[in-house]
Amino acid sequence: MTEEQLAVQIQKVVKEAGELLKEAYADRETIFHKEGPANFVTEYDVKIQDFLQERLASLLPEAEFLGEEGEKEKNGWEGDTFIIDPIDGTTNFIFRYHHSCVSVALARKKELRIGFVYNPYLDEMFWAVRGQGAWLNGRKLEMKDLSLEQGVAAFGCARYNTGDTDRIFAMARKLYDNSLALREGGSAAIDLSWIGDGRNCVYVELLLHPWDFAAAAVIIEEAGGIITQCDGRPVTLDSSCSILAGTPKAWEECRKFWDACGG
Ligand code: IPD
């Protein structure tokens, strides 16, 4: 199977997973706390993760999985790995914001090759195949190189990551002062993917797991944007890291702000 054919098959699975998310209704009785404040898992995170693992394994039986509700660490990256977040934006899901998604990436020998971020509430499938481009549903994404003052800036600050609160709000203040508007959307995967379509010109968060950003990373890069850690180093798939992503112009501006904030 070529990578394009594989992407078509993965997309069908992601879409079905999205339907499960759209029909789901978080029942407070079934919400579990993970580590730290406002770090939730619902029965649907688990159900959708299981659904994705079963269906994606039938496409690539040798593939391994890394995911928010499944295997969280890997020893080697020799073959194929699906990196999955069954519901990115779990708090939004619980509070019915309708700004949550299913995020699936495929890494081959640790290189991110394919990414899907699907928001079923808007029926928006952001996707990309390395070297082929990025799309929103059937429309190819052509990124306009917006500067901060021309665009909307977004950031993330998970309630459970209390150690970074002062630094992320110092950075958010810089974004607020220098952009058209500032947003905290609550789904890093969606908020990152939106860079591909010019809705956000930049996204900053100080601690994200690979399953929060892996799929969106392919989408951003294939659309013409940049995604790195805040200090400019490449993102890591072995552990969580900070994320700075944006159009080339906005990314460059934010790199300087990050250094000015003390890094
Ligand atoms: C969270 C969301 C949120 C971001 C957090 C993530 P989850 O993922 O992406 O926007 O700020 O850092 O953990 O827990 O909803 O899958």
Side-chain angles (χ1 to χ4, degrees), residues 190-208:
I190 294 179
D191 302 333
L192 283 164
S193 303
W194 280 14
I195 293 171
D197 196 30
R199 297 177 193 180
N200 291 327
C201 66
V202 76
Y203 183 88
V204 185
E205 185 157 357
L206 300 193
L207 192 83
L208 272 183

Side-chain angles (χ1 to χ4, degrees), residues 3-4 106 111-116 126-136 139-144 192-193 195-197 213-227 245-248:
E3 229 158 42
E4 295 73 41
L106 179 67
E111 187 195 5
L112 291 169
R113 300 286 312 169
I114 297 177
F116 289 96
F126 284 85
W127 61 286
V129 178
R130 177 79 58 200
Q132 311 283 319
W135 288 264
L136 166 53
R139 174 168 61 85
K140 193 158 189 189
L141 297 175
E142 313 280 357
M143 183 181 286
K144 224 175 133 194
L192 283 164
S193 303
I195 293 171
D197 196 30
F213 65 77
V218 193
I219 295 160
I220 289 169
E221 288 181 341
E222 283 299 315
I226 300 176
I227 179 165
T247 61

Side-chain angles (χ1 to χ4, degrees), residues 10 13-14 17 34 45-57 63-72 74 77 81-88 101-107 112 114 116 189 209-215:
I10 298 172
V13 176
V14 173
K34 294 201 280 199
D45 292 84
V46 180
K47 268 188 195 158
I48 296 171
Q49 172 92 21
D50 291 349
F51 170 85
L52 287 168
Q53 272 197 223
E54 192 188 319
R55 293 290 298 279
L56 295 171
E64 295 188 1
F65 287 85
L66 185 69
E68 177 154 34
E69 312 310 332
E71 212 54 54
K72 284 194 155 66
K74 277 176 62 64
W77 291 83
T81 306
F82 284 110
I83 306 174
I84 289 175
D85 196 345
I87 306 180
D88 183 68
C101 67
V102 176
S103 174
V104 172
L106 179 67
L112 291 169
I114 297 177
F116 289 96
H209 301 291
W211 45 85
D212 296 317
F213 65 77

Side-chain angles (χ1 to χ4, degrees), residues 2-256:
T2 66
E3 229 158 42
E4 295 73 41
Q5 290 166 333
L6 184 59
V8 171
Q9 298 304 320
I10 298 172
Q11 181 160 172
K12 286 184 191 157
V13 176
V14 173
K15 189 134 192 183
E16 275 187 61
E19 292 309 316
L20 293 177
L21 170 57
K22 195 175 167 187
E23 285 157 21
Y25 180 86
D27 170 358
R28 303 282 161 106
E29 299 296 309
T30 60
I31 296 165
F32 312 111
H33 280 269
K34 294 201 280 199
E35 310 86 44
N39 193 3
F40 302 115
V41 59
T42 70
E43 61 170 317
Y44 293 102
D45 292 84
V46 180
K47 268 188 195 158
I48 296 171
Q49 172 92 21
D50 291 349
F51 170 85
L52 287 168
Q53 272 197 223
E54 192 188 319
R55 293 290 298 279
L56 295 171
S58 70
L59 293 178
L60 281 181
E62 307 295 319
E64 295 188 1
F65 287 85
L66 185 69
E68 177 154 34
E69 312 310 332
E71 212 54 54
K72 284 194 155 66
E73 279 177 25
K74 277 176 62 64
N75 290 325
W77 291 83
E78 275 319 296
D80 293 340
T81 306
F82 284 110
I83 306 174
I84 289 175
D85 196 345
I87 306 180
D88 183 68
T90 306
T91 306
N92 284 354
F93 168 63
I94 293 167
F95 288 90
R96 298 186 285 285
Y97 269 49
H98 292 183
H99 187 78
S100 307
C101 67
V102 176
S103 174
V104 172
L106 179 67
R108 315 198 99 167
K109 291 188 193 289
K110 215 175 182 179
E111 187 195 5
L112 291 169
R113 300 286 312 169
I114 297 177
F116 289 96
V117 172
Y118 181 50
N119 176 353
Y121 304 106
L122 297 176
D123 191 22
E124 287 193 331
M125 179 79 74
F126 284 85
W127 61 286
V129 178
R130 177 79 58 200
Q132 311 283 319
W135 288 264
L136 166 53
N137 296 334
R139 174 168 61 85
K140 193 158 189 189
L141 297 175
E142 313 280 357
M143 183 181 286
K144 224 175 133 194
D145 193 6
L146 298 175
S147 64
L148 260 182
E149 67 171 7
Q150 294 174 315
V152 176
F155 75 112
C157 54
R159 260 305 268 120
Y160 42 83
N161 184 21
T162 47
D164 281 329
T165 308
D166 289 344
R167 289 196 311 158
I168 190 62
F169 278 97
M171 189 65 184
R173 178 66 204 246
K174 291 272 184 202
L175 299 179
Y176 172 79
D177 286 341
N178 290 280
S179 66
L180 281 181
L182 180 64
R183 301 283 183 266
E184 208 277 334
S187 166
I190 294 179
D191 302 333
L192 283 164
S193 303
W194 280 14
I195 293 171
D197 196 30
R199 297 177 193 180
N200 291 327
C201 66
V202 76
Y203 183 88
V204 185
E205 185 157 357
L206 300 193
L207 192 83
L208 272 183
H209 301 291
W211 45 85
D212 296 317
F213 65 77
V218 193
I219 295 160
I220 289 169
E221 288 181 341
E222 283 299 315
I226 300 176
I227 179 165
T228 62
Q229 298 187 47
C230 288
D231 60 9
R233 284 179 298 154
V235 301
T236 59
L237 296 182
D238 289 311
S239 56
S240 49
C241 63
S242 66
I243 290 290
L244 169 56
T247 61
K249 275 186 193 151
W251 179 88
E252 188 64 48
E253 290 172 81
C254 290
R255 273 285 304 114
K256 290 180 189 140

